[in-house]
Amino acid sequence: MAIKGSSAGAPSINPRYLIQIGVFSAVYFVVCFVGGMLGFLNPLMMFVGFAISILINGTVIMLYLYKTPIVGAMTLLGFVLAMMMVATGHPWVSLIISPLLGFSADVIAWSGKFRSRVRNILGYAVMTLWYLGPFYPIFTNTDAYFADMAKQMGQEYASATQALVTPSFLVVWGIVLFILGICGGWLGTVMLRKHFVRAGIA
Amino acid sequence: MNVKLLQKEDCAGRDIAAIKLDSRKVSDRLNLSPGEGKKSGFWLDPRSKMLTLLVVNIIVFQLDSQTAAIAAFALVCLLIATIVPLTDLLKYACGVPILALSFWGLNWIVPNPIIGLAAMVGIWLSRFTISLGIAYYVIKSTQVSEFTAALHLLHISKTIAIPFAVMLRFIPTVVTEMKAITEAMRLRRISTSVRSIIVHPAQTTEFLVVPLLASITRIGDDLAASAMLRGLARTNPPSSITTLKFSWRDALVLLTCVGLVSMRYSGWELV
């Protein structure tokens, strides 16, 4: 007979889960990357690409949270993602922001034992805020960042970007990200219920 | 301890049993096929490769120095030359400068702010292809077992090393699966272009994401099972078939990295 409150039944980090984490981070990263690639056509399309990738990743993360119900799930996803971002040349702050956001997402989802749909969606929305990470230097040393950009990309590009990407714009973008995260998570829940529950995977 | 039981004959011709202690190296004991465990071509320690990746990325994405970026591009081409046939290398080595020069030339010919903006984006794009090149080299030339062994030697805990290694190994699989699903959808007359994602988003993503996740789940379970069979859950430290050693090739590549960094920070410009 299981003793109530014992940790014998609670899942903990084991190699099987670590591999699942790797597998789902690969899918998450590919979807993000493809979404970001749309930005090369036109810098404004980058935000559209991010929006699409957030909506698609909702399904991925909902399934992921079902398959790896441990607290390290989103934290490690955030950390691995941050390493890939740093390796592709983004600011080093992502290494701190992404795992922290992932950890908060983990805690939110864990409070519902990873089975509460609402909390999973909230956790995913919090995790989505990591997209702000690459823009962090704009908050801290705005002038240095744009002076750097002006030196290399030309004054027109820097002025255009500075006019567009102000800190207030980034706050608005953060709110948009959160709403997109909720939509993506909700979409993911619908997908999960419609297909994966019937197949027995979720 | 590995022992072998041999059948021998003594001087009188009678069969005696002899025991021969097996003192061969690990790689010989395991009856590996001729290619396995041997280092091929211009073999670099994965740790040197990771350091090179970091250095090249930092240089290429800091928009300050043109010369260092060109030198980094030369390094990447040389490294790719060690693993890829010459024709593919030429495609890459010529394509990237042509891309960069065409944008730069366009800006020179037509000094228009909008063209200037597009040109700057194009030049940034060509720098990104250098970063993609070095990433391709690291991923293509490093086997997962070497990579995990290198991370272990760097004293990175399994909790971080395993997801990272699995992710790197899995990204090509995801891309392959995506392509297969897109083709299967095309057979069923469901278009999967960017336009259809924007026009009817829910349907398109449903047809793309659900099969992808289903196959990824299955492949992930297979991968986990095979990794457990290969002893991923052990607690004792692993022994490696390929010994990861520092050689003259690593020294050469690291010196080149030091040269790149000093070139970038000395501010010496050719162009």
Side-chain angles (χ1 to χ4, degrees), chain A residues 30 34 56, chain B residues 173-194 196-197 204-213 215:
Chain A
V30 168
V34 169
I56 295 182
Chain B
T173 312
V174 174
V175 172
T176 314
E177 291 291 313
M178 272 306 308
K179 281 193 196 156
I181 288 172
T182 319
E183 299 227 341
M185 287 300 144
R186 209 182 309 153
L187 275 176
R188 286 170 174 73
R189 308 274 204 85
I190 297 169
S191 87
T192 53
S193 59
V194 180
S196 55
I197 291 188
T204 316
T205 57
E206 187 171 351
F207 291 144
L208 286 178
V209 174
V210 174
L212 180 69
L213 281 178
S215 76

Coordinates of all heavy atoms in Angstrom, one line a residue, chain A residues 30 34 56, chain B residues 173-194 196-197 204-213 215:
Chain A
V30 N 14.4 23.6 -33.5 CA 14.2 23.7 -35.0 C 13.0 24.6 -35.3 O 13.1 25.4 -36.3 CB 14.0 22.3 -35.5 CG1 13.5 22.3 -37.0 CG2 15.3 21.5 -35.5
V34 N 13.4 27.9 -37.6 CA 12.7 28.1 -38.8 C 11.8 29.4 -38.8 O 11.7 30.1 -39.7 CB 11.8 26.9 -39.2 CG1 10.9 27.1 -40.3 CG2 12.7 25.7 -39.5
I56 N 3.1 27.1 -32.8 CA 3.4 25.7 -33.1 C 4.0 25.0 -31.9 O 3.7 23.9 -31.5 CB 4.3 25.6 -34.3 CG1 3.6 26.1 -35.5 CG2 4.8 24.1 -34.5 CD1 4.4 25.9 -36.8
Chain B
T173 N 17.7 14.7 -37.5 CA 16.6 13.8 -37.6 C 15.3 14.6 -37.7 O 14.4 14.2 -38.5 CB 16.6 12.9 -36.3 OG1 17.9 12.4 -36.1 CG2 15.6 11.8 -36.5
V174 N 15.2 15.6 -36.9 CA 14.0 16.4 -36.9 C 13.8 17.0 -38.3 O 12.7 17.0 -38.9 CB 14.0 17.5 -35.9 CG1 12.8 18.4 -36.0 CG2 14.0 17.0 -34.5
V175 N 14.9 17.5 -38.9 CA 14.8 18.1 -40.2 C 14.3 17.1 -41.2 O 13.5 17.3 -42.1 CB 16.1 18.8 -40.6 CG1 16.1 19.2 -42.0 CG2 16.4 19.9 -39.6
T176 N 14.9 15.9 -41.1 CA 14.6 14.8 -42.1 C 13.1 14.4 -41.9 O 12.4 14.3 -42.9 CB 15.4 13.6 -41.8 OG1 16.8 14.0 -41.6 CG2 15.3 12.6 -42.9
E177 N 12.6 14.3 -40.7 CA 11.2 14.0 -40.5 C 10.3 15.0 -41.0 O 9.3 14.8 -41.7 CB 10.9 13.8 -39.0 CG 11.6 12.6 -38.3 CD 11.0 11.3 -38.8 OE1 9.7 11.2 -38.8 OE2 11.7 10.4 -39.1
M178 N 10.7 16.3 -40.8 CA 9.9 17.4 -41.4 C 9.8 17.3 -42.9 O 8.7 17.5 -43.4 CB 10.5 18.8 -41.0 CG 10.1 19.4 -39.7 SD 8.4 19.6 -39.5 CE 7.9 20.4 -40.9
K179 N 10.9 17.0 -43.5 CA 10.9 16.9 -45.0 C 10.0 15.8 -45.4 O 9.2 15.9 -46.3 CB 12.3 16.7 -45.5 CG 13.1 17.9 -45.5 CD 14.4 17.7 -46.4 CE 15.4 18.8 -46.1 NZ 16.7 18.4 -46.3
A180 N 10.1 14.6 -44.7 CA 9.3 13.5 -45.1 C 7.8 13.8 -44.9 O 7.0 13.4 -45.7 CB 9.7 12.3 -44.2
I181 N 7.5 14.5 -43.8 CA 6.1 14.8 -43.6 C 5.5 15.7 -44.6 O 4.4 15.6 -45.1 CB 5.9 15.3 -42.1 CG1 6.1 14.2 -41.1 CG2 4.5 16.0 -42.0 CD1 6.1 14.7 -39.7
T182 N 6.4 16.7 -44.9 CA 5.9 17.7 -46.0 C 5.7 17.0 -47.3 O 4.7 17.3 -48.0 CB 7.0 18.8 -46.2 OG1 7.5 19.1 -44.9 CG2 6.5 20.0 -46.9
E183 N 6.5 16.0 -47.6 CA 6.3 15.3 -48.9 C 5.1 14.4 -48.8 O 4.3 14.3 -49.8 CB 7.5 14.4 -49.2 CG 8.8 15.2 -49.3 CD 9.6 14.7 -50.6 OE1 9.3 13.6 -51.0 OE2 10.4 15.5 -51.0
A184 N 4.8 13.8 -47.7 CA 3.6 13.0 -47.5 C 2.4 13.8 -47.6 O 1.4 13.4 -48.2 CB 3.7 12.2 -46.2
M185 N 2.5 15.0 -47.1 CA 1.3 15.9 -47.1 C 1.1 16.4 -48.6 O -0.1 16.6 -49.0 CB 1.5 17.1 -46.2 CG 1.4 16.8 -44.8 SD -0.2 16.1 -44.4 CE 0.2 14.9 -43.2
R186 N 2.2 16.5 -49.3 CA 2.0 17.0 -50.7 C 1.3 15.9 -51.5 O 0.6 16.2 -52.4 CB 3.4 17.3 -51.3 CG 3.2 18.4 -52.3 CD 4.5 18.7 -53.0 NE 5.6 19.1 -52.0 CZ 6.9 18.9 -52.2 NH1 7.3 18.4 -53.4 NH2 7.8 19.2 -51.3
L187 N 1.6 14.6 -51.1 CA 0.9 13.5 -51.8 C -0.6 13.6 -51.6 O -1.4 13.2 -52.4 CB 1.5 12.2 -51.3 CG 2.7 11.6 -52.0 CD1 3.1 10.4 -51.3 CD2 2.5 11.4 -53.4
R188 N -0.9 14.1 -50.4 CA -2.4 14.2 -50.1 C -2.9 15.5 -50.5 O -4.0 15.9 -50.0 CB -2.6 14.0 -48.6 CG -2.4 12.6 -48.1 CD -2.4 12.5 -46.6 NE -2.4 11.2 -46.1 CZ -1.3 10.4 -46.2 NH1 -0.2 10.8 -46.7 NH2 -1.4 9.2 -45.7
R189 N -2.2 16.3 -51.3 CA -2.7 17.6 -51.8 C -2.9 18.6 -50.7 O -3.8 19.4 -50.8 CB -4.0 17.4 -52.5 CG -4.0 16.4 -53.6 CD -3.5 17.0 -54.9 NE -4.0 16.2 -56.0 CZ -5.2 16.4 -56.6 NH1 -6.0 17.4 -56.1 NH2 -5.6 15.7 -57.7
I190 N -2.1 18.5 -49.6 CA -2.2 19.6 -48.6 C -0.9 20.4 -48.8 O 0.2 19.9 -48.6 CB -2.3 19.0 -47.2 CG1 -3.5 18.2 -47.1 CG2 -2.2 20.0 -46.2 CD1 -3.6 17.3 -45.8
S191 N -1.0 21.6 -49.1 CA 0.2 22.4 -49.3 C 0.7 22.9 -48.0 O 0.0 23.2 -47.1 CB -0.2 23.6 -50.2 OG -0.6 24.7 -49.4
T192 N 2.0 23.0 -47.9 CA 2.7 23.3 -46.7 C 3.6 24.5 -46.9 O 4.7 24.5 -46.3 CB 3.5 22.1 -46.2 OG1 4.4 21.7 -47.2 CG2 2.6 21.0 -45.8
S193 N 3.2 25.4 -47.7 CA 4.1 26.6 -47.9 C 3.8 27.6 -46.8 O 2.8 27.5 -46.1 CB 3.9 27.2 -49.3 OG 2.5 27.5 -49.4
V194 N 4.6 28.7 -46.8 CA 4.4 29.8 -45.9 C 3.0 30.4 -46.1 O 2.3 30.8 -45.1 CB 5.5 30.8 -46.0 CG1 5.3 31.9 -45.0 CG2 6.8 30.2 -45.8
S196 N 0.3 29.1 -47.1 CA -0.9 28.3 -46.5 C -0.9 28.4 -45.0 O -1.9 28.3 -44.4 CB -0.9 26.9 -47.0 OG 0.4 26.3 -46.7
I197 N 0.3 28.6 -44.4 CA 0.3 28.8 -42.9 C -0.4 30.0 -42.5 O -1.1 30.1 -41.5 CB 1.8 28.8 -42.4 CG1 2.4 27.4 -42.5 CG2 1.8 29.2 -40.9 CD1 3.7 27.3 -41.9
T204 N -3.1 23.8 -41.3 CA -1.7 23.5 -41.8 C -0.8 23.0 -40.6 O -0.1 22.1 -40.7 CB -1.0 24.7 -42.4 OG1 -2.0 25.3 -43.3 CG2 0.2 24.3 -43.2
T205 N -0.9 23.8 -39.5 CA 0.0 23.4 -38.4 C -0.5 22.1 -37.8 O 0.4 21.2 -37.5 CB -0.1 24.4 -37.2 OG1 -1.4 24.6 -36.8 CG2 0.5 25.7 -37.7
E206 N -1.8 21.8 -37.8 CA -2.2 20.5 -37.3 C -1.7 19.4 -38.2 O -1.1 18.4 -37.7 CB -3.8 20.5 -37.4 CG -4.3 19.2 -36.8 CD -5.9 19.3 -36.6 OE1 -6.4 20.4 -36.9 OE2 -6.5 18.4 -36.3
F207 N -1.7 19.6 -39.5 CA -1.2 18.5 -40.4 C 0.3 18.4 -40.3 O 0.8 17.3 -40.7 CB -1.6 18.8 -41.8 CG -3.1 18.6 -42.1 CD1 -3.8 19.4 -42.9 CD2 -3.8 17.7 -41.4 CE1 -5.1 19.3 -43.1 CE2 -5.2 17.5 -41.6 CZ -5.8 18.3 -42.4
L208 N 1.0 19.4 -39.9 CA 2.4 19.3 -39.8 C 2.9 18.8 -38.5 O 3.8 18.0 -38.3 CB 3.1 20.7 -40.1 CG 3.1 21.1 -41.5 CD1 3.7 22.5 -41.6 CD2 3.9 20.1 -42.4
V209 N 2.3 19.5 -37.4 CA 2.9 19.3 -36.1 C 2.5 17.9 -35.5 O 3.4 17.2 -34.9 CB 2.4 20.4 -35.1 CG1 2.9 20.1 -33.7 CG2 2.9 21.7 -35.6
V210 N 1.3 17.5 -35.7 CA 0.9 16.2 -35.1 C 1.6 15.0 -35.6 O 2.1 14.2 -34.7 CB -0.7 16.1 -35.2 CG1 -1.1 14.7 -34.7 CG2 -1.4 17.2 -34.5
P211 N 1.8 14.8 -36.9 CA 2.6 13.7 -37.3 C 4.1 13.8 -36.8 O 4.7 12.8 -36.4 CB 2.5 13.7 -38.8 CG 1.4 14.5 -39.2 CD 1.2 15.5 -38.0
L212 N 4.6 15.0 -36.8 CA 5.9 15.2 -36.4 C 6.1 14.8 -35.0 O 7.0 14.1 -34.6 CB 6.3 16.7 -36.5 CG 7.7 17.1 -36.1 CD1 8.7 16.5 -37.1 CD2 7.9 18.6 -36.0
L213 N 5.2 15.2 -34.1 CA 5.3 14.9 -32.7 C 5.1 13.4 -32.5 O 5.8 12.8 -31.7 CB 4.3 15.7 -31.9 CG 4.7 17.1 -31.6 CD1 3.6 17.8 -30.8 CD2 6.0 17.1 -30.8
S215 N 5.9 10.9 -34.6 CA 7.1 10.2 -34.9 C 8.3 10.5 -34.0 O 9.1 9.7 -33.7 CB 7.5 10.5 -36.4 OG 8.1 11.7 -36.5

